[in-house]
Amino acid sequence: MTSYLLRGVSLLGAELRDVAIVDGRISDNAPADAEIIDAAGLVALPGLVDLHTHLREPGREDAETVETGSRSAALGGYTAVFAMANTSPVADTAGVVEQVWRLGREAGLVDVQPIGAVTVGLAGKQLAELGAMATSAANVRIFSDDGHCVADPRLMRRALEYVKAFDGIIAQHAEEPRLTEGAQMHEGEVSTRLGLTGWPAVAEEAIIARDVLLAEHVGSRLHVCHVSTAGSVEVLRQAKARGVRVTAEVTPHHLLLTDELAASYDPVYKVNPPLRTASDVEALRAALVEGVIDIVATDHAPHAVEDKECEWAYARPGMVGLETALPVVLSVLGERWDLIAERMSRTPARIAGLTGHGTDLAVGEPANLTLVDPSARRVVDPSELASRSRNTPYAGTTLPGRIVATFLRGEPTVLDGKAVK
Amino acid sequence: MIKHLRSAADLDAPTATLILDTAGEMAALAGREVKKLPTLRGRTVVNLFYEDSTRTRISFEAAAKRLSADVINFSAKGSSVSKGESLKDTALTLQAMGADAVVIRHPASGAPHRLAAWVDGSVVNAGDGTHEHPTQALLDAYTMRSRLGRLDGLRVAIVGDVLHSRVARSNVLLLTTLGAQVTLVGPPTLIPVDIAAALSPATKVSYDLDSVLPDMDVVMMLRVQTERMQDSYFPSAREYSRRYGLDLARMRKMPEHAIVMHPGPMNRGMEITPEVADSSRSTIVEQVANGVSARMAVLYLLLGGKA
Amino acid sequence: MAQPRADASSKIILSASDLHRVVDRIAHQILEKTSGATGTVLLGIPTRGVPLAERLAARIHAFEGIDIPVGSLDITLYRDDLRLHATRALGKTELPGGGIDGRRVVLVDDVLYSGRTVRAALDALNDEGRPSSVQLAVLVDRGHRQLPIRADYVGKNIPTSLAESVRVSLTEIDGLDEVKLTGGEDQ
Ligand SMILES: [Zn+2]
């Protein structure tokens, strides 16, 4: 196995030093034959961990595969991604989660950790075999019907309780379905002007409020996916103050973009939950800094061209995000490297119970890390994305930071900003 | 001159006034024996209709033909996404056919905006989802101006299902641009959120039709579909028409000169009683005739010059 | 030396009094050629043909006490050069009471040039009705015809080059009466 010496790297933006990687781990000193990487001006972060990725395989390999999604993740600085269960077939059995897990191992670019569905077929009627998925080779700990809300309160309560047996966690896509029938975008001034059916903030807030009460009642852990409103932040703040074991994520796009973008009717801006208002964006940013929102998760949602080059109402919601997540967060938080490591690597790994990721670069730890050039600026070009899909909302936008290299257990997956395989 | 008419917001006051003036000339020409004009000879206008709307399609077709344009009716019924050709593929076909203008009627809001990105010709919105119907607003404004002599300072109530009404949105935008004062009236469930901020800060909202009527020059009744009942927008057709329907008693509360409008098709007995619809204050029949003149004006202004 | 350029390259062809005299002469000629303007209507072509037609009618009234019907005929929708310019606003078409069927129509315009305007006016007239005959009166004929069209009444023939342009000003529209020739080879 090749050894590496990262020369002159800045750990989390602080001291410059040399970091050696030997046998897949961080080491004291490099052997004489170590490959030397000039890391002057580069910042080392623990490899990023994404709790919310749609890899589309099995079922929509025309939009993304485990392999192309993994490559996209590695280029974004990720060393682990959690693959959502809304594939076809749905990842609601040990068989499907093991298939995804195996495809991830074969691609070998990031650790692909499958998320299991909460209910059979994401139908919200009957619990999937959560225990079987937990004890499968995929070792599933996060369960989610993402794309759908577990709307039935009794079913949600049971799910929260049931996964305690194997320290699982339910990740809820908070959307009261009766309040969002036919919804196309954030309900507000812009939806009224555009004549698009509104997705009211309260549809998210009501479910989060209910779920934190349920989690508190049964003493379980709850994770809230893609928080998008200022009201949700307040619900979470109060719950956390009471000691409810709730964690929450925000997507890069909800930290940067607003509902005004829908005015073009270009469905590249259609996403669920929808882009909200500028004051929501402001509240989400503050909550992320404060820790009311624990992590950034991409909700990377690749879609085939025909699902986006159409009328807004007929388009599928979602945006690709793995390759732009860190640049977007950098542009929002600035070069607060320790905070970025906390929100994009350490905390997501901890929530998921994922060992070997999200650890700082101490001697003996697995060498899962990424090197970032913070001075670089890049104009996002959809055609350059490694994802099989092109539905980025940032086309033509200049974003700071470039991921120069990513290492997965000491093996480079990205070097010179290019995927190694 | 503007290239597309996707929204009434595409029109500033001078352009909107020019269209109304032109519509006036077109209407005058409609009175003579020879109605056809050679103006758009050699130009191709495609009527691309994803919804059945014989009234609107015929109106556009008559307008284009009176200007001697070649008209192609392209009816794409069954607008489901999965089946049939995508809007983009259809757009590329129309492009290859050399369409100078595409008149599009579509159940999805914003479809004309998408189409405009894919064709070189002009795009005219003939009604998109619950968004807009700008030529309806133009013919309504034209009708008001012909009946009442002005638009500036005119007080107009638009009554009913504003939430789902593309006619209401376009009318608010256009009438406000031309100086009219618009009041939206309906049950709170059918008035969209932030409507004033969304369309025009001067727009007023009222939930009480009776208190509004004495101050109005124009009362425009919107079609209300009884199916809205199932979605709990109001309890029953009976309660709706009691609170928001226009009957003779209510019409008498309007000033002497005030007119009653309806974009059609009417739900007689729901939002308007037959006696009101057929009264001399009703402009409903004129609105249809004015539709052709207004659409001729739009086609002329979009296509009657250098591309 | 400090002469403004526009003045250097423009010259007045008809002064206000010339213009009035020319209108008077055309009015007399119309009376003569139409046996006292019986069964005759004047149709001005917007923009400046309309006030010219009105002036002719006023002079005819002054000379003979005859009230000759006046109207306007907009030809914009009949032009063959629409695609060469930005969209034009329409002028007014107002036929006098009694219409034009069976009557003698005298079209009135300010400048006769290529003849295309008159061609469009004949097409427009054809869609409006069936006059017994059509005549043409113009204030200025500047030549360069592109169609076989000639005027029945000409106020003044002005030989021009293609680079020049004839600018007619009328009090009703422009605040003064005059005809100017501007531009030319030396520009
Ligand atoms: Zn989701």
Side-chain angles (χ1 to χ4, degrees), chain A residues 178 181, chain B residues 225-236:
Chain A
R178 290 285 285 157
E181 271 171 32
Chain B
Q225 291 173 304
T226 42
E227 305 89 77
R228 302 286 175 219
M229 236 162 65
Q230 270 103 59
D231 284 332
S232 303
Y233 286 105
F234 48 84
S236 68

Side-chain angles (χ1 to χ4, degrees), chain C residues 100-115:
Chain C
I100 55 168
D101 285 357
R103 296 166 116 175
R104 180 190 293 108
V105 169
V106 179
L107 295 171
V108 182
D109 203 0
D110 53 352
V111 180
L112 179 58
Y113 184 19
S114 68

Side-chain angles (χ1 to χ4, degrees), chain C residues 23-86:
Chain C
V23 169
D24 283 356
R25 192 174 68 242
I26 297 175
H28 280 298
Q29 286 171 345
I30 289 174
L31 280 167
E32 223 166 275
K33 276 187 119 179
T34 60
S35 350
T38 47
T40 303
V41 301
L42 301 179
L43 289 185
I45 297 173
T47 311
R48 287 175 184 75
V50 177
L52 278 176
E54 280 158 4
R55 287 191 195 191
L56 287 170
R59 298 315 289 157
I60 287 168
H61 181 87
F63 299 147
E64 299 290 336
I66 300 167
D67 283 321
I68 184 167
V70 191
S72 63
L73 181 70
D74 184 53
I75 55 109
T76 311
L77 296 169
Y78 291 83
R79 298 184 75 104
D80 62 4
D81 63 349
L82 286 171
R83 291 195 200 189
L84 303 179
H85 306 274

Side-chain angles (χ1 to χ4, degrees), chain B residues 1-2 15 32 47 64 69 127 165 182 196 209 235 238 263-264 271 295:
Chain B
M1 195 46 60
I2 55 166
T15 309
R32 55 183 211 188
N47 287 323
S165 175
V182 180
L209 181 57
R238 190 173 60 180
E271 71 268 4
R295 287 169 181 129

Side-chain angles (χ1 to χ4, degrees), chain B:
Chain B
M1 195 46 60
I2 55 166
K3 162 108 194 241
H4 306 294
L5 182 60
R6 293 161 300 188
S7 159
D10 289 339
L11 304 171
D12 57 13
T15 309
T17 304
L18 178 61
I19 292 177
L20 298 185
D21 291 346
T22 305
E25 296 304 322
M26 297 296 184
L29 292 171
R32 55 183 211 188
E33 225 165 280
V34 181
K35 293 184 171 52
K36 209 173 172 94
L37 294 156
T39 318
L40 297 184
R41 222 157 44 186
R43 299 258 169 157
T44 301
V45 175
V46 175
N47 287 323
L48 178 60
F49 274 56
Y50 286 82
E51 280 182 343
D52 276 327
S53 174
T54 313
R55 302 158 54 97
T56 307
R57 188 182 54 73
I58 285 178
S59 182
F60 269 107
E61 189 171 346
K65 284 185 169 166
R66 279 195 197 164
L67 291 169
S68 299
D70 295 322
V71 179
I72 299 173
N73 287 318
F74 200 116
S75 149
K77 259 189 283 166
S79 56
S80 99
V81 219
S82 46
K83 286 189 182 154
E85 198 177 47
S86 74
L87 179 61
K88 184 170 186 188
D89 286 338
T90 303
L92 298 180
T93 305
L94 301 181
Q95 178 69 10
M97 283 161 52
D100 295 296
V102 182
V103 176
I104 178 173
R105 172 65 156 261
H106 200 291
S109 299
H113 290 71
R114 297 295 283 158
L115 183 66
W118 297 323
V119 296
D120 289 335
S122 293
V123 171
V124 180
N125 182 356
D128 62 330
T130 52
H131 177 225
E132 285 207 47
H133 194 354
T135 59
Q136 176 73 42
L138 284 163
L139 76 89
D140 288 340
Y142 178 81
T143 305
M144 289 176 215
R145 199 176 73 166
S146 332
R147 274 284 189 119
L148 301 167
R150 70 195 162 102
L151 288 166
D152 192 33
L154 219 56
R155 297 156 305 170
V156 181
I158 301 177
V159 185
D161 184 0
V162 177
L163 180 63
H164 300 96
S165 175
R166 48 194 173 206
V167 175
R169 278 174 185 73
S170 286
N171 261 298
V172 170
L173 289 167
L174 183 70
L175 289 170
T176 314
T177 297
L178 294 170
Q181 164 68 58
V182 180
T183 305
L184 299 171
V185 187
T189 46
L190 290 175
I191 305 289
V193 298
D194 294 340
I195 183 81
L199 297 181
S200 151
T203 310
K204 292 180 190 163
V205 171
S206 170
Y207 307 132
D208 179 7
L209 181 57
D210 290 303
S211 70
V212 164
L213 290 174
D215 297 323
M216 291 299 136
D217 302 302
V218 179
V219 177
M220 182 186 295
M221 303 307 294
L222 300 174
R223 177 181 170 79
V224 175
Q225 291 173 304
T226 42
E227 305 89 77
R228 302 286 175 219
M229 236 162 65
Q230 270 103 59
D231 284 332
S232 303
Y233 286 105
F234 48 84
S236 68
R238 190 173 60 180
E239 173 154 330
Y240 181 86
S241 50
R242 271 196 198 151
R243 292 178 66 84
Y244 298 104
L246 191 61
D247 56 13
L248 279 178
R250 281 212 168 97
M251 191 170 78
R252 286 191 201 103
K253 294 183 180 175
M254 294 163 47
E256 277 300 307
H257 68 274
I259 57 171
V260 176
M261 304 183 74
H262 194 299
M266 280 179 284
N267 257 339
R268 284 172 189 260
M270 179 75 174
E271 71 268 4
I272 192 164
T273 62
E275 304 81 60
V276 174
D278 300 333
S279 79
S280 62
R281 290 171 154 217
S282 155
T283 63
I284 293 161
V285 178
E286 278 162 73
Q287 282 171 270
V288 176
N290 292 341
V292 177
S293 307
R295 287 169 181 129
M296 286 174 81
V298 168
L299 289 175
Y300 170 64
L301 289 164
L302 292 179
L303 298 182
K306 195 152 62 175

Side-chain angles (χ1 to χ4, degrees), chain A residues 176-198:
Chain A
E176 167 50 57
R178 290 285 285 157
L179 289 174
T180 57
E181 271 171 32
Q184 296 295 329
M185 66 171 298
H186 173 65
E187 178 181 288
E189 185 185 325
V190 183
S191 68
T192 290
R193 185 165 71 238
L194 300 183
L196 291 170
T197 307

Side-chain angles (χ1 to χ4, degrees), chain A residues 52 146-147 173 225-226 272-273 299:
Chain A
H52 195 146
D146 184 63
H173 169 116
C225 295
H226 42 53
N272 193 18
D299 196 4

Side-chain angles (χ1 to χ4, degrees), chain A residues 29-192:
Chain A
N29 43 25
D33 65 346
E35 202 167 295
I36 291 168
I37 292 174
D38 179 12
L42 303 185
V43 174
L45 287 171
L48 307 182
V49 176
D50 188 16
L51 287 198
H52 195 146
T53 307
H54 296 274
L55 292 179
R56 301 293 183 226
E57 193 177 0
R60 283 308 296 266
E61 290 83 355
D62 58 326
E64 196 80 289
T65 64
V66 171
E67 188 191 332
T68 58
S70 293
R71 190 171 294 118
S72 185
L75 284 162
Y78 288 90
T79 52
V81 300
F82 285 75
M84 274 298 174
N86 62 339
T87 47
S88 177
V90 171
D92 57 1
T93 62
V96 179
V97 291
E98 283 185 347
Q99 182 198 351
V100 171
W101 176 74
R102 217 170 16 248
L103 288 167
R105 293 243 301 195
E106 281 163 18
L109 289 155
V110 290
D111 285 345
V112 174
Q113 306 290 329
I115 291 173
V118 177
T119 66
V120 175
L122 308 175
K125 297 273 183 251
Q126 183 192 342
L127 282 187
E129 289 185 356
L130 308 180
M133 290 188 273
T135 52
S136 72
N139 196 27
V140 175
R141 285 297 174 275
I142 303 182
F143 299 91
S144 180
D145 274 2
D146 184 63
H148 301 267
C149 182
V150 182
D152 179 340
R154 191 173 66 161
L155 194 59
M156 185 61 181
R157 174 206 168 135
R158 298 279 191 257
L160 286 166
E161 282 177 310
Y162 190 79
V163 298
K164 285 204 280 188
F166 35 85
D167 198 27
I169 185 166
I170 305 295
Q172 175 71 296
H173 169 116
E175 174 183 356
E176 167 50 57
R178 290 285 285 157
L179 289 174
T180 57
E181 271 171 32
Q184 296 295 329
M185 66 171 298
H186 173 65
E187 178 181 288
E189 185 185 325
V190 183
S191 68
T192 290

